[in-house]
């Protein structure tokens, strides 16, 4: 269908020194969609997130956000435009409280009333955080820390939320809960790019997916189509 194109990545190439990491990757996200980026270790998933957030400049190709080229902008500028990344490994501040961690997500905002409302929203998604606002973040369980990281991202009021491996290191039951909440955040209107090694779970909640192999998109499509693809079945769904 239609829908505003929130993100458009056009044939980007990137490298680390002499290591070629991306070899002409193109992808797009429509407003309010949830799109999965799948692939094995080293396929280039994190590198794509770095080029979108401005931490790594592609040497060829373009990245556009809401119709504007952003691939030459500094990372700080890109954040203020509304692209918010929740990094892999739940990089919260363990020695700060849950409340302090959440407020860090909103530090550039001046709309106090709206910030308060967004915090209530985070608590409604995951009420345990509301009970633990004064606890040190480092004392939370793995799943709670992951939800704190996502909550901190939401406090920045993202127009595009990038999630890097939210299932990493979590028990299956916890992963299920996190994915249910990710889907709810998407339902509430947030556009999401979800990087995952857990292809099965990611496909279950996504509208569309790209499979990455050695810096290229090897296949793409709706979950229905990809779940029937022999290569995807064999390599990523253990079938
Ligand atoms: P993972 O799940 O392990 O993070 P990935 O799909 O995110 O995998 P990337 O981290 O994007 O893959 O890595 C893509 C390629 O770039 C790999 O060959 C990797 O070894 C290389 N690479 C990544 N980061 C660096 C770096 N800082 N310096 C040099 N090479 C790097």
């Amino acid at each position: 269908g239609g829908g505003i194109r929130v993100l458009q990545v056009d044939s980007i190439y990137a490298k680390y020194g002499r290591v070629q990491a991306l070899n002409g990757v193109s992808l797009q996200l429509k407003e309010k969609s949830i799109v999965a980026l799948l692939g094995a270790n080293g396929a280039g998933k994190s590198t794509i997130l770095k080029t979108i957030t401005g931490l790594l400049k592609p040497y060829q190709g373009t990245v556009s956000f809401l119709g504007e080229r952003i691939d030459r902008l500094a990372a700080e500028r890109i954040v203020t435009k509304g692209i918010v990344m929740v990094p892999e490994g739940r990089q919260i501040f363990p020695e700060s409280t849950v409340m302090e961690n959440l407020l860090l997500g909103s530090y550039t905002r001046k709309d106090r009333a709206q910030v308060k409302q967004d915090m209530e929203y985070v608590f409604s998604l995951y009420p345990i955080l509301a009970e633990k606002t004064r606890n040190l973040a480092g004392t939370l369980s793995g799943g709670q820390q992951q939800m704190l990281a996502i909550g901190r991202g939401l406090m920045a009021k993202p127009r595009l939320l990038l999630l890097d491996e939210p299932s990493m290191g979590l028990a299956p039951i916890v992963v299920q809960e996190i994915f249910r909440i990710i889907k709810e955040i998407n339902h509430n209107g947030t556009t999401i790019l979800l990087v995952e090694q857990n292809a099965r779970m990611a496909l279950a909640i996504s509208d569309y997916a790209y499979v990455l192999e050695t810096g290229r998109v090897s296949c793409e499509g709706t979950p229905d189509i990809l779940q029937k693809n022999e290569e995807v079945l064999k390599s990523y769904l253990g079938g």
Side-chain angles (χ1 to χ4, degrees), residues 141-176:
S141 71
Q144 291 166 357
Q145 290 189 24
Q146 180 60 60
M147 268 314 301
L148 177 58
I150 293 172
R152 187 178 63 184
L154 291 174
M155 292 300 294
K157 213 166 187 49
R159 300 183 75 173
L160 171 61
L161 188 63
L162 310 175
L163 301 176
D164 197 359
E165 305 261 9
S167 76
M168 177 82 93
L170 302 177
I173 185 104
V174 180
V175 174
Q176 273 188 27

Side-chain angles (χ1 to χ4, degrees), residues 16 19 21 40-47 50 88 165 197:
Y16 299 98
V19 179
N41 268 324
K45 304 180 299 296
S46 301
T47 304
K50 283 185 206 160
E88 180 182 23
E165 305 261 9
Q197 292 218 28

Side-chain angles (χ1 to χ4, degrees), residues 2-239:
I4 298 170
R5 209 164 281 174
V6 172
L7 185 77
Q8 171 109 24
V9 172
D10 261 322
S11 195
I12 52 169
Y13 292 75
K15 53 189 171 185
Y16 299 98
R18 302 166 80 165
V19 179
Q20 189 67 35
L22 300 179
N23 284 297
V25 172
S26 298
L27 53 91
Q28 45 177 290
L29 266 85
K30 286 178 182 157
E31 191 175 34
K32 299 180 196 292
S33 67
I34 176 163
V35 171
L37 192 52
L38 311 175
N41 268 324
K45 304 180 299 296
S46 301
T47 304
I48 290 180
L49 295 187
K50 283 185 206 160
T51 61
I52 296 169
T53 53
L55 298 173
L56 182 70
K57 302 295 172 201
Y59 66 85
Q60 200 179 309
T62 60
V63 181
S64 302
F65 179 59
L66 297 166
E68 181 198 357
R69 261 189 84 170
I70 58 167
D71 50 272
R72 297 282 166 236
L73 300 182
E76 305 81 55
R77 288 274 293 138
I78 294 173
V79 177
T80 59
K81 287 186 180 295
I83 299 184
V84 174
M85 157 110 140
V86 176
E88 180 182 23
R90 303 183 286 284
Q91 291 168 27
I92 47 132
F93 295 94
E95 303 294 336
S96 299
T97 66
V98 165
M99 177 63 80
E100 287 162 349
N101 270 276
L102 287 174
L103 287 174
L104 274 173
S106 63
Y107 80 103
T108 59
R109 299 175 56 187
K110 294 189 175 65
D111 46 341
R112 289 288 174 79
Q114 189 64 46
V115 166
K116 191 160 187 301
Q117 212 171 307
D118 289 343
M119 190 168 293
E120 291 305 322
Y121 171 52
V122 170
F123 293 157
S124 75
L125 289 168
Y126 198 69
I128 294 168
L129 290 181
E131 292 164 25
K132 297 195 178 240
T133 51
R134 291 160 191 272
N135 295 50
L136 294 185
T139 66
L140 301 183
S141 71
Q144 291 166 357
Q145 290 189 24
Q146 180 60 60
M147 268 314 301
L148 177 58
I150 293 172
R152 187 178 63 184
L154 291 174
M155 292 300 294
K157 213 166 187 49
R159 300 183 75 173
L160 171 61
L161 188 63
L162 310 175
L163 301 176
D164 197 359
E165 305 261 9
S167 76
M168 177 82 93
L170 302 177
I173 185 104
V174 180
V175 174
Q176 273 188 27
E177 186 178 18
I178 301 264
F179 272 60
R180 180 186 60 73
I181 295 168
I182 292 171
K183 188 68 197 172
E184 192 177 336
I185 293 166
N186 172 244
H187 267 307
N188 294 337
T190 305
T191 310
I192 297 178
L193 180 58
L194 171 64
V195 166
E196 260 298 332
Q197 292 218 28
N198 190 334
R200 196 176 298 280
M201 290 295 295
L203 287 175
I205 63 166
S206 296
D207 302 313
Y208 200 83
Y210 295 87
V211 180
L212 216 61
E213 253 172 64
T214 56
R216 284 192 181 81
V217 174
S218 62
C219 62
E220 63 175 274
T222 58
D224 280 11
I225 301 287
L226 288 184
Q227 275 154 354
K228 288 181 202 139
N229 180 301
E230 287 296 333
E231 271 310 301
V232 174
L233 270 170
K234 202 160 54 128
S235 308
Y236 305 104
L237 298 172

